[in-house]
Amino acid sequence: MKIVVCVKRVPATDTRIKIGADGKSIDTAQVEWIISPYDEFAVECALRLKDADASTQVTVLSLGPPETTKELRTCLAMGADDAILLKDPLAGTRDATTTAKLLADAVSPLAPDLVLLGKQAVDRDQGQVGLLLASRLGLPCVTEIKAFGLADGQAKVERAGEEGTTESYQVALPAVLTCTKGLNEPRYANLKGIMAAKKKPIDERDVQPGDDGLVTRALELPPGRNAGKIVGEGADAVPELVRLLQQEAKVL
Amino acid sequence: MAADILVYAEHKNGSVKRPSLEAATAARRLAAALGGKVSAVVAGPGASDAAGALAKYGVSRVLTLDVDPHDANALAVSLADLVGKSSPAAVILSHGTRGRDIGPRLAGALGLPLASDCTALEVDGGAIVARRPEFAGKAIATVSSPGATMLATLRPNAVPAEEAPVETATEACPVVAPSHGLGAVLKEVLEAAEKKIELSEAGVVVSGGRGLKGPENWHLVEELASALGAATGASRAVCDAGWRPHTEQVGQTGKTVAPQLYVAIGISGAIQHLAGMRTSRYIVAINKDPEAPIFKVADYGIVGDAFEVVPRLTEAVKAAKAHA
């Protein structure tokens, strides 16, 4: 089985965002970078299939700045076989259409049985790349999966439906699946994996992204919240809180 | 017509879901600014029953589509055909479970960009611009699309639904069969053990954190939520510890919520949590630690032990509701 996992290098989730000088993107100075957390679930999902069948080949693919070799090396240390980096210094600001097109061009010749991604990258939070990639590749796609199984050459997956329901899908391969929290607990790379990763190949390629479809006119910090008030201490403050919720906020 | 707006309206047995009425409201304002009208596509059984409610919210044409609303692929194909023929100025879907699945498929079919999870849509210099949170709400982007049709999904609770009754006409929308598709088949829908209020669409949310000390104390959250008619949420720490399912996590790598009232119990307020709830209209925080960051965003705070404060609050809410 051949699996491609798409990952993105993003600012760590505890990053305090500052707006860059262009007013359209973030100031990346002093930002710590990580693999987008949802993509880690996709990597882990692929590696579990490899654990179950050693002949499985796992390729990690990223559209990212040249520094993304660090995140790809982490995926290789976790157990992936090889990696492809589509070098784009502006990857972090690309719209989903452009990202999906560049990824599709790289995935297509590999003809994988399965393409796995996170449900969204936690930078631009567009949540579209998986479906757009599937659309370009002409493959079925189920998004936001929280359970995965493989039987008779088909994937059986679950996703959260409406009002607390769970939807169960049977998916013919090849297919594209996007992963959400709850699917698995991503592993940490061990020392053996880190050593092995040094010898694994990262295929670095230049790409021509072209113009984005969606144009970012401005990026701003959200309006601040006015400092609230401490109503009081302990249970004795409850009547005053309820009065405020009724009379001032009018939400009761 | 390049001034008309198309909405994909979700419903249950003909009763239109509130996030879709919010989408209709956003659509009506755009149409008013551009001099156009609002049409809505409603799919599946009971679709024609939705016309009355949509008319009340400014939709002057309802198109019923005989496609299973669970089949995002088939829906996207028929919607793309309709959009291709009518060239609306914008197509708006709700950014819920369904819209998140249909929107990008529609964008892929049309080859147009999609502004997802928008919190505002407006007309600026004749063009439609969208505001959308990025970095889990730690930044807000203003985006526009160079295409003739702007595709957008609208975050629930971002634009309050507002009535604006019009006369409406209902007609059937042509169904276009997907050329390929049946690769992913929905086998079954497992019902929840109990009916839950959808967290990201709820008007009131009560969330609990590590301050509750253990899953055995979660009834405090549930009882207050029940008194308030609220959905329940949780901090990441609580979900990672297995006290609550990940579907209840509020914040970055969880759900983003923007209810009228958000009550945080025993949640210190890590930056990732604050990102997911800071646009709530009113925030109440109950925490033992007066220095907890949650108090910096809370409108009303009580410094105290959740085990004393919350039961008293639940009783007081019940009493207040009984008198209302």
Side-chain angles (χ1 to χ4, degrees):
Chain A
M1 192 178 202
K2 172 86 195 156
I3 305 172
V4 174
V5 186
C6 302
V7 302
K8 190 172 184 188
R9 172 185 163 101
V10 298
T13 57
D14 59 358
T15 304
R16 290 195 181 276
I17 297 296
K18 290 183 203 144
I19 305 300
D22 66 353
K24 293 178 182 180
S25 60
I26 62 162
D27 177 355
T28 53
Q30 290 163 20
V31 168
E32 295 261 354
W33 301 90
I34 57 167
I35 301 166
S36 184
Y38 297 112
D39 297 342
E40 289 191 330
F41 304 126
V43 173
E44 178 62 30
C45 186
L47 294 179
R48 287 187 186 191
L49 289 169
K50 189 176 170 67
D51 290 344
D53 175 1
S55 73
T56 297
Q57 280 283 313
V58 178
T59 298
V60 185
L61 169 66
S62 185
L63 175 72
E67 298 82 5
T68 309
T69 49
K70 175 178 152 281
E71 283 70 35
L72 290 174
R73 201 64 74 183
T74 301
C75 296
L76 296 175
M78 288 167 78
D81 295 288
D82 54 13
I84 301 170
L85 172 58
L86 308 176
K87 284 187 289 184
D88 175 10
L90 298 177
T93 65
R94 295 280 170 223
D95 83 331
T97 313
T98 307
T99 305
K101 180 189 176 300
L102 295 168
L103 293 177
D105 289 347
V107 170
S108 195
L110 301 174
D113 302 289
L114 199 53
V115 182
L116 297 166
L117 313 81
K119 68 160 181 163
Q120 70 194 64
V122 302
D123 51 1
R124 296 202 66 192
D125 290 327
Q126 297 181 97
Q128 302 180 36
V129 171
L131 283 165
L132 291 174
L133 181 59
S135 172
R136 283 194 172 266
L137 297 172
L139 298 179
C141 181
V142 179
T143 56
E144 305 178 18
I145 64 164
K146 56 173 187 165
F148 174 92
L150 201 58
D152 307 325
Q154 298 218 320
K156 194 181 173 209
V157 301
E158 288 180 2
R159 71 193 292 274
E162 294 149 294
E163 294 169 343
T165 59
T166 294
E167 296 172 358
S168 169
Y169 288 82
Q170 193 159 320
V171 193
L173 304 184
V176 178
L177 301 172
T178 79
C179 306
T180 192
K181 203 167 180 176
L183 178 64
N184 53 43
E185 202 57 57
R187 67 194 64 189
Y188 290 98
N190 58 25
L191 190 60
K192 194 173 153 222
I194 293 166
M195 296 310 287
K198 290 182 179 173
K199 295 194 200 96
K200 291 178 181 175
I202 297 180
D203 177 1
E204 297 185 41
R205 303 179 189 170
D206 294 312
V207 289
Q208 303 298 326
D211 287 337
D212 276 332
L214 204 64
V215 180
T216 298
R217 293 186 171 192
L219 190 71
E220 298 156 276
L221 294 179
R225 287 190 79 94
N226 292 330
K229 55 183 152 195
I230 299 292
V231 178
E233 291 190 16
D236 292 344
V238 165
E240 175 62 3
L241 173 63
V242 170
R243 188 192 70 78
L244 289 165
L245 291 176
Q246 283 186 305
Q247 292 174 17
E248 196 174 88
K250 299 186 167 58
V251 288
L252 262 192
Chain B
M1 294 295 286
D4 292 345
I5 311 293
L6 184 68
V7 172
Y8 175 71
E10 297 175 41
H11 69 104
K12 191 172 184 181
N13 306 323
S15 167
V16 182
K17 301 201 167 177
R18 194 171 45 87
S20 292
L21 297 176
E22 294 168 1
T25 300
R28 178 176 56 77
R29 295 199 181 122
L30 289 182
L34 294 167
K37 289 184 169 168
V38 181
S39 300
V41 172
V42 191
S48 53
D49 297 337
L54 290 167
K56 208 184 276 180
Y57 287 84
V59 175
S60 56
R61 194 166 71 131
V62 173
L63 299 156
T64 59
L65 181 63
D66 188 14
V67 171
D68 176 3
H70 283 95
D71 191 344
N73 194 42
L75 278 175
V77 171
S78 284
L79 282 173
D81 178 68
L82 178 66
V83 172
K85 284 176 182 154
S86 56
S87 296
V91 182
I92 308 176
L93 302 90
S94 163
H95 193 74
T97 305
R98 293 281 157 252
R100 290 200 301 276
D101 202 11
I102 302 165
R105 290 177 202 266
L106 179 61
L110 289 165
L112 287 172
L114 165 73
S116 54
D117 201 14
C118 300
T119 50
L121 292 162
E122 53 206 53
V123 176
D124 178 17
I128 296 174
V129 295
R131 310 256 299 160
R132 58 181 308 277
E134 300 191 353
F135 302 91
K138 287 183 258 180
I140 310 290
T142 304
V143 298
S144 60
S145 167
T149 299
M150 174 83 158
L151 306 180
T153 58
L154 182 69
R155 176 178 288 191
N157 280 336
V159 175
E162 184 185 79
E163 290 192 18
V166 289
E167 291 284 315
T168 192
T170 300
E171 57 194 277
C173 178
V175 176
V176 179
S179 55
H180 63 92
L182 292 179
V185 181
L186 178 60
K187 300 303 275 188
E188 59 179 330
V189 178
L190 308 162
E191 292 297 327
E194 50 186 314
K195 266 272 182 289
K196 290 266 182 188
I197 299 172
E198 193 76 33
L199 178 57
S200 47
E201 297 170 10
V204 183
V205 173
V206 179
S207 283
R210 247 187 317 213
L212 284 158
K213 296 202 164 70
E216 66 279 10
N217 299 320
W218 206 256
H219 64 95
L220 291 174
V221 172
E222 283 169 341
E223 284 154 13
L224 179 57
S226 160
L228 286 164
T232 57
S235 71
R236 173 177 162 180
V238 156
C239 294
D240 283 353
W243 299 2
R244 302 302 302 165
H246 290 298
T247 46
E248 289 187 16
Q249 184 185 324
V250 172
Q252 197 166 14
T253 72
K255 294 206 166 112
T256 300
V257 299
Q260 288 292 306
L261 174 63
Y262 185 89
V263 184
I265 302 169
I267 293 177
S268 63
I271 185 168
Q272 296 96 329
H273 188 82
L274 300 183
M277 44 64 85
R278 58 173 294 141
T279 57
S280 304
R281 182 106 167 79
Y282 285 96
I283 296 170
V284 171
I286 298 162
N287 202 296
K288 261 206 304 213
D289 176 10
E291 302 299 320
I294 191 82
F295 287 122
K296 293 207 169 65
V297 301
D299 299 280
Y300 307 119
I302 292 183
V303 178
D305 187 347
F307 295 91
E308 291 167 19
V309 177
V310 177
R312 184 84 75 87
L313 180 57
T314 302
E315 288 315 309
V317 168
K318 279 187 194 161
K321 292 234 167 180
H323 288 127

